Amino acid sequence: MTGKSRWADSQEDAVAEEQRRKEKEAKKRAKLAQQKLAEERRKQHEQQEQQQGGVRDDLENRPAKRQRLSPAQNTDTAQKTDKAAEAPTKLLKFHAPSLGPCRHVDNFERLNHIEEGSYGWVSRAREIATGEVVALKKLKMDNLNDGFPVTALREIQTLKASKHPNIVDLREVVVGDGDDFSDVFLVMDFLEHDLRTLQEDMAEPFLPSETKTLLLQLASAMEFLHDHWIIHRDLKTSNILMNNRGEIKIADFGMARYFSDPPPPNLTQLVVTLWYRAPELLLGASTYDTAIDMWSVGCIFGELLTKDPLLQGKNEVDQLAKIFALAGIPNDDSWPGFRRLPNARALRLPRLPNPPKSSALIRSKFPILTNAGSALLAALLSLNPASRPTATEMLAHPYFREQPKPKSKAMFPTFPSKAGQEKRRRRATPDAPKRGEKGAFAKGRDAVDLTGLFSGRDAEAAGAGFRLKMV
Amino acid sequence: MASAPPKLIGNPMATVEQLETSASQIDGIPKELEDSIHFAGARLTQLAGILLRLPQDIIAIAIVNYTRFWLGPEGGSLKKYGAKDISIASLYVTAKLSAYPRSPRSVINVYAYFDAHETTFEHHAPNSPNPLDPQTYFVSEGTYQARRLALMRTEALLLRTLGFTTDTALPYALAITYMQTLDAFADHAAGSALTKRVLAHLNSALFSPQKLYLTHQPAALATAAIYLAGHEREMKLAGEDWWEVFDVGREELGFLVFSLNSQNGFAEREVERWAGRKVPLTVLEVEREMGVGVGMGVGMGVGMGV
């Protein structure tokens, strides 16, 4: 690997010479030691022969074994050091990939359009040289004032760093003609389905055992990302791809970025598609961490159980209302400090004498879920980000060890692929927030009126009529 | 250095074919001139990074990206692209990806400042008796817009030439860890003096004509810098063959130590060679230099043997 350079010659020679000299010395030392040993052995032998006449008993009484063993041991070590000096030490070397410019997109033949994601157009394509089918994502180049969009650069950087069986593999980046930005393509694995479209066409939701397998894969990918200091920031079922072998892979890193500990200040709150957005983001927190991804995982968990998105808010306020209806109303015990978040000041929370616990609310919504299952879901959907489990803790949760056990991936059912030639039916799901777009809370606290959020709720609680009390 | 968490431990490396020849040499640019320009461009990146108050790890990545751009027959050629343009683009895009983004305006202003100097290696410090006249490095709005567009184009070009490999693992933090492992901080004063030398060697290795950051992994660079610094300060570091603990072989270590040690001489020769002149950092300047170089090359050839 070392490039031969004319500067190096003399030094390398000197180094090589030094090594040779050392080796010689070591050999000489070993030789001397061996000679000494041989001499000693010869002397002992002579002595033994001399003594053999009269003192045979004495010889037998002596611990003969030890006597013979010790010189043998000595020669052993001498030989060993000799060997060590000759054989080079085994050094750990990394496999280093090579550097080179991007290939041209003409190496691929486009087959059909798949869909338009938040940060690009995806199509199915075949690599002409190998015949392999891949997904080709053309990056959207908007907001060109600052040059190449930083989100696109982050997507490439984080995807390149994420080699995991449950994260879509970025094989290479290819480019089109010209010097303008518009033609940059990501070459990725092609997978037949995404979880959103798949669930739309399924008659019944996934079985509990299948849900567990999917969740384990999802948690494993999240563990990898968070261990590598990456937050995804746009987890949702339409960004989770699935093949016909029961494997899921997380895709679309258009919002991903590196984070640090302590978290970097002034992160944008306008991340994560609304239905999967954590309450601290909706309340305007500018520092947040991996817990926002775990909230999305919780939403996906709920969605896998019923095959419908869990919290389908119409806007930010409605989303918060739906979250509080499912996960309970925060108070200073369950979420210390939430009142200091920018948008929480406008929030007038209803005073309930004994507010229902979120775990009870969740159990009432998912009666088929076991205790462990609803405990995990309630933990993931904790309003307080600090109470949500990490991906590692989630993997160790008892829910995955109880019956029914996670289904083997090989036993998964297969489905007809929609990403093939057929035109896809798209349901109106909200898109990921656009860069530069203003959130409802963005500027001026008066933009959104949160005061009406719980109006009439107190009355409702005390309302007339009879109903079965579950919470 | 608190900014970026550790992402990588190894970097992609240049191949033998890429080191043998470059696009510039294929286009007929002499190796000596190419080395001079790469050195001056890397140095310019460092200086601009300091004026932009960027942390050294980001400047270092920018210099590595700059160096990677010119690598091998498929890299950029000095006949087509100016070293200064690539330096700006590299610094700008590296800062953009870091926690310390800089606006195009700041970057362009800083490079205009260095551009206003008559010579490459002599600087007017702002508080010196004869500072530069601010008029000479003022960038008007029209000029700025033109340069910004050029910067965006060069940025896209740089990215696709690098194959979007914009991340680099650096040896700085590794070197500190290694020194702790070697118990170099037992004597605190001596340890911190040693650290200064180690970091100095790692920084100057960024400008090496052997492209050390493209041919050696961070572990090897860190080990060699510690070895050389320890040798210079006559510090006894550890027993025999301690570098093998860090997976660096004797031969690699020897080469790196020699290269690091020769860096000073190389820089001095460059300063001497270009005394009172400007190293050509644009395509036009390179062409002019090549025209002059035919006549001058003979006379200068002797002094340049490295």
Side-chain angles (χ1 to χ4, degrees), chain A residues 10-293:
Chain A
S10 56
Q11 179 71 8
E12 269 182 349
D13 282 356
V15 169
E17 190 115 333
E18 173 77 8
Q19 179 136 18
R20 248 175 274 140
R21 199 174 53 78
K22 276 214 153 178
E23 274 173 14
K24 243 184 219 170
E25 259 178 20
K27 265 188 207 165
K28 218 188 261 173
R29 250 182 282 137
K31 219 178 197 176
L32 268 174
Q34 261 176 340
Q35 274 177 353
K36 230 181 179 177
L37 276 169
E39 189 124 343
E40 265 175 17
R41 229 178 293 158
R42 196 169 50 82
K43 270 185 191 166
Q44 271 175 358
H45 201 65
E46 275 173 7
Q47 266 181 355
Q48 273 179 3
E49 269 182 348
Q50 276 177 1
Q51 289 167 344
Q52 236 167 19
V55 270
R56 206 181 184 111
D57 288 350
D58 195 31
L59 196 77
E60 266 169 4
N61 282 348
R62 246 189 269 166
K65 229 179 181 175
R66 203 178 70 193
Q67 200 196 11
R68 229 167 286 147
L69 198 72
S70 56
Q73 231 172 18
N74 272 350
T75 43
D76 238 352
T77 46
Q79 272 165 355
K80 251 185 215 159
T81 48
D82 203 3
K83 256 186 213 158
E86 274 167 34
T89 326
K90 194 137 175 59
L91 302 173
L92 177 71
K93 291 286 171 210
F94 295 112
H95 164 73
S98 59
L99 291 158
C102 296
R103 290 202 299 161
H104 197 274
V105 72
D106 284 353
N107 288 300
F108 296 87
E109 171 192 17
R110 237 159 297 178
L111 298 175
N112 63 280
H113 177 81
I114 300 178
E115 71 162 341
E116 185 180 337
S118 54
Y119 280 89
W121 297 269
V122 187
S123 45
R124 198 164 67 107
R126 179 167 41 219
E127 185 172 1
I128 292 166
T130 61
E132 233 179 322
V133 173
V134 295
L136 210 55
K137 176 172 174 177
K138 184 177 180 185
L139 291 178
K140 273 184 191 169
M141 296 288 159
D142 43 9
N143 206 23
L144 283 179
N145 273 345
D146 292 328
F148 202 93
V150 69
T151 46
L153 283 173
R154 282 192 191 135
E155 174 168 16
I156 295 170
Q157 211 179 28
T158 47
L159 262 177
K160 270 193 173 187
S162 307
K163 298 287 170 215
H164 185 273
N166 297 120
I167 297 168
V168 70
D169 184 30
L170 174 64
R171 302 177 178 202
E172 60 176 306
V173 182
V174 293
V175 292
D177 288 315
D179 280 342
D180 58 335
F181 307 104
S182 55
D183 300 339
V184 177
F185 301 86
L186 307 187
V187 183
M188 295 179 286
D189 296 336
F190 173 75
L191 280 88
E192 291 87 350
H193 314 283
D194 71 76
L195 276 185
R196 178 72 250 138
T197 328
L198 190 60
Q199 289 189 109
E200 278 170 19
D201 295 337
M202 283 165 66
E204 292 292 320
F206 284 107
L207 296 173
S209 60
E210 293 167 349
T211 307
K212 282 184 192 180
T213 310
L214 297 178
L215 278 179
L216 279 176
Q217 296 182 55
L218 178 60
S220 155
M222 291 329 292
E223 184 187 35
F224 178 92
L225 286 183
H226 294 168
D227 275 356
H228 287 74
W229 300 92
I230 296 168
I231 6 180
H232 187 280
R233 302 201 296 184
D234 196 16
L235 278 180
K236 52 177 170 178
T237 40
S238 52
N239 282 343
I240 299 176
L241 309 180
M242 184 173 165
N243 62 19
N244 275 330
R245 295 173 295 286
E247 284 171 343
I248 56 168
K249 287 178 197 281
I250 297 178
D252 202 340
F253 278 53
M255 295 231 172
R257 67 161 291 155
Y258 280 105
F259 69 102
S260 54
D261 183 19
N266 290 323
L267 296 169
T268 169
Q269 301 114 47
L270 216 62
V271 289
V272 192
T273 303
L274 184 63
W275 293 351
Y276 303 85
R277 200 178 297 166
E280 65 266 31
L281 292 172
L282 290 164
L283 289 176
S286 61
T287 52
Y288 48 82
D289 57 11
T290 53
I292 65 157
D293 278 347

Side-chain angles (χ1 to χ4, degrees), chain A residues 2 7-8 11 15 19 22 89 91-93 97 99 101-102 145-148 156-157 160 178 181 258-259, chain B residues 12-13 18 92 96 148 152 155 160-161 163-165 167 210 240 244 247 249-250 252 254-255 258 306:
Chain A
T2 353
W7 289 303
Q11 179 71 8
V15 169
Q19 179 136 18
K22 276 214 153 178
T89 326
L91 302 173
L92 177 71
K93 291 286 171 210
L99 291 158
C102 296
N145 273 345
D146 292 328
F148 202 93
I156 295 170
Q157 211 179 28
K160 270 193 173 187
F181 307 104
Y258 280 105
F259 69 102
Chain B
M13 292 282 121
Q18 285 173 328
Y92 174 68
K96 181 155 77 175
R148 193 182 66 84
M152 301 306 147
E155 183 194 28
R160 56 178 61 185
T161 310
F164 287 86
T165 308
D167 248 359
Q210 289 109 322
E240 264 181 59
E244 288 185 349
D247 294 307
R250 182 181 287 272
E252 192 180 7
F255 171 80
F258 186 81
V306 203

